[in-house]
Structures are given as C-alpha cells and as structure tokens.
Amino acid sequence: MNSKPKLSIIIPAHNAGKSLERCVNSIVSGNFQFNIEVLIIENGSEDNTVEVAKTLEEKYNYVRLLYSETGVSNARNVG
C-alpha cells in the first residue's frame, strides 16, 4: 500500500474543448508529493470537450471522465 495521500483535482468542464488539454497538462507537469487523480466532470458541452477528455483519460491512467447534469453546482457535486 502506498502511504502517500491522494489529491483529487476536480475540473467542471462546459465547452472547455479549447482549454482542457492545456489545463490537464499543466496539472500533470507539477511535481506532486501526492498520488493524484484528475476528475473531469463533463457538463452538457456542445463543443469537443468530451472527445478531448476521452483522449486525456486514455493518455493518463489517473484522469477520469465523469458526467453531470447541466449546471456548475451539479458538476461540482459529482466531483
């Protein structure tokens, strides 16, 4: 069992296709002393947010794509 604490980073994402990859890459480039998980909460986007998030989920084993009903509060609650 790894004794490092886990850090969860929650990203509510609504029409974030243009910035999501840059956001996640910024997170993963950090030198964390924690086990991290990145939760992308898709929130009714009408752009390519889902496709970008799926690509990131495949690329990094600690990135997960989840879905919520529309509304930022719903996204935060799912996260």
Side-chain angles (χ1 to χ4, degrees), residues 44-71:
S45 297
E46 297 174 355
D47 66 354
N48 66 335
T49 298
V50 172
E51 291 80 12
V52 172
K54 284 181 179 180
T55 299
L56 292 166
E57 187 177 40
E58 291 172 6
K59 184 176 180 179
Y60 301 109
N61 63 351
Y62 46 83
V63 173
R64 290 182 50 213
L65 172 61
L66 304 171
Y67 297 86
S68 75
E69 294 182 24
T70 57

